[in-house]
Amino acid sequence: QVQLVESGGGLVQAGGSLRLSCAASGRTFRGYAMGWFRQAPGKEREFVAEISWSGIKVHADSVKGRFTISRDNAKNTVYLQMNSLKPEDTAVYYCTARPSDSAKYNYWGQGTQVTVSS
């Protein structure tokens, strides 16, 4: 059974930092791109960042320069380092994975709450 399990969310003051982790299991993720989405209350889920198997990174404009995605292929784990957090970063953050030759994200985690207080 494929599982993506996020951890590292919590409550932090504006300007602070958090590091999210996502551990993948149940199959090989070799060749998969992995990423992060987020969903704030009353808003649609939005793309945050993605990293390819080879390490090519893409970040949304709203987080560029503050968030950094990385991965450890040996551990089947993807990370999201979040610095200079703002109240508008408050959301449930979801880990996801897709085959490199597809635009569809096949696998999703259950989400981890990030709350940034002003």
Side-chain angles (χ1 to χ4, degrees):
Q1 181 181 358
V2 175
Q3 281 191 311
L4 300 180
V5 180
E6 302 98 334
S7 61
L11 174 64
V12 64
Q13 287 189 332
S17 298
L18 283 174
R19 188 193 194 206
L20 304 184
S21 299
C22 172
S25 62
R27 63 155 295 147
T28 177
F29 284 88
R30 183 176 183 82
Y32 272 63
M34 298 189 73
W36 293 92
F37 280 69
R38 67 186 181 186
Q39 187 166 20
K43 295 189 177 181
E44 293 187 355
R45 190 173 296 189
E46 66 172 357
F47 171 81
V48 175
E50 182 185 88
I51 184 167
S52 71
W53 172 258
S54 61
I56 298 172
K57 305 175 185 181
V58 179
H59 296 86
D61 287 344
S62 59
V63 307
K64 207 169 287 184
R66 300 187 298 122
F67 292 10
T68 303
I69 191 170
S70 61
R71 68 189 291 169
D72 184 334
N73 289 334
K75 295 182 178 179
N76 265 356
T77 300
V78 63
Y79 306 96
L80 186 67
Q81 179 66 44
M82 305 186 296
N83 299 328
S84 301
L85 281 161
K86 305 175 181 180
E88 51 263 44
D89 294 318
T90 295
V92 177
Y93 284 71
Y94 296 92
C95 176
T96 186
R98 65 172 178 86
S100 296
D101 60 354
S102 172
K104 181 181 178 182
Y105 291 93
N106 287 0
Y107 303 110
W108 293 86
Q110 81 288 350
T112 186
Q113 176 70 47
V114 171
T115 302
V116 184
S117 63
S118 56

